[in-house]
Amino acid sequence: QQQVKQSPQSLIVQKGGISIINCAYENTAFDYFPWYQQFPGKGPALLIAIRPDVSEKKEGRFTISFNKSAKQFSLHIMDSQPGDSATYFCAASFAGTYKYIFGTGTRLKVLA
Amino acid sequence: DARVTQTPRDKVTEMGQEVTMRCQPILGHNTVFWYRQTMMQGLELLAYFRNRAPLDDSGMPKDRFSAEMPDATLATLKIQPSEPRDSAVYFCASGLGAQETQYFGPGTRLLVL
């Protein structure tokens, strides 16, 4: 019940295309959903985050779509660029807690 | 440019040896996390501290792993004795509180032969 399931495991997209990464959860007590981006040899870094009171959040080319009834959320990268090639992790946490439950990660490669 | 620092960046050791990894959290951050990353298991939370007190170390193998915060500027993760299955990248992260951004360090890549 505390798992966050992430798919796909890997993704190859052409430059300019849309990258879509999906996550699903079971526990409805989760109320904060961040996405982290990790480049090779680096630690993960916060990319964008959403709470379940909104269905969408956009920051530049990155958009989180949230479907509370389906218990799913997804990251959309518009106009994907080779510089977006990285591993992306979704995560979830409960109100008032410090710990995140991370998904298994999606390795994205954007072809030039 | 505030950032989390970790030492060493790379460590190669033989099975049975003690390994100590160090982390300097961002100044002013009162929450520190230790994660382990492997291809098979992804990112696993090992332990975390709030105001230097351990809040949860349930993710850590207790018989060989220990985590401490001797002071607000230093967190340590020790493995004794180390085993080949401990080979992974160990990340430290710090933050300001519940559901706040976690800032990750560059990691310590550990290889146990």
Side-chain angles (χ1 to χ4, degrees):
Chain A
Q1 266 230 327
Q2 288 206 16
Q3 281 188 325
V4 176
K5 295 183 180 179
Q6 184 171 349
S7 63
Q9 192 172 23
S10 62
L11 182 61
I12 299 176
V13 172
Q14 294 288 337
K15 180 181 174 182
I18 302 174
S19 304
I20 302 175
I21 304 169
N22 300 300
C23 286
Y25 62 98
E26 288 295 322
N27 197 323
T28 56
F30 286 136
D31 76 339
Y32 180 67
F33 303 89
W35 284 87
Y36 277 74
Q37 179 189 54
Q38 183 181 27
F39 292 106
K42 306 288 187 185
L46 179 67
L47 183 63
I48 187 172
I50 197 168
R51 294 192 183 273
D53 53 345
V54 297
S55 60
E56 187 175 280
K57 183 173 182 180
K58 185 175 180 179
E59 289 184 4
R61 296 183 295 107
F62 300 90
T63 300
I64 301 178
S65 296
F66 190 86
N67 186 330
K68 190 173 181 178
S69 60
K71 293 184 283 186
Q72 295 175 348
F73 58 110
S74 59
L75 176 70
H76 296 237
I77 306 175
M78 312 301 287
D79 186 27
S80 299
Q81 300 296 312
D84 298 330
S85 298
T87 299
Y88 293 82
F89 293 93
C90 62
S93 75
F94 302 103
T97 63
Y98 300 89
K99 99 191 232 187
Y100 294 160
I101 311 297
F102 279 95
T104 49
T106 296
R107 186 172 294 186
L108 171 66
K109 185 173 178 63
V110 181
L111 301 177
Chain B
D1 182 24
R3 59 182 68 188
V4 175
T5 58
Q6 291 186 246
T7 56
R9 293 296 312 276
D10 287 279
K11 176 73 175 179
V12 180
T13 191
E14 293 189 347
M15 182 173 63
Q17 296 298 305
E18 177 178 298
V19 175
T20 299
M21 291 169 267
R22 293 176 175 82
C23 166
Q24 183 172 12
I26 293 173
L27 190 65
H29 283 191
N30 53 20
T31 313
V32 175
F33 306 83
W34 282 105
Y35 289 90
R36 176 170 62 185
Q37 184 175 35
T38 61
M39 289 294 292
M40 294 300 293
Q41 300 295 328
L43 267 172
E44 300 174 272
L45 178 64
L46 297 175
Y48 63 100
F49 296 76
R50 169 83 171 159
N51 293 328
R52 296 176 53 204
L55 286 190
D56 186 348
D57 62 0
S58 59
M60 249 175 19
K62 301 288 193 309
D63 55 339
R64 298 183 301 107
F65 285 60
S66 62
E68 295 179 342
M69 278 202 74
D71 61 60
T73 64
L74 177 65
T76 62
L77 180 66
K78 290 186 181 180
I79 309 174
Q80 169 62 23
S82 58
E83 297 181 2
R85 59 180 167 152
D86 301 328
S87 297
V89 181
Y90 290 82
F91 288 104
C92 173
S94 71
L96 284 168
Q99 295 186 340
E100 293 289 337
T101 303
Q102 293 184 20
Y103 295 85
F104 283 74
T108 293
R109 188 189 308 264
L110 173 65
L111 177 61
V112 183
L113 301 173

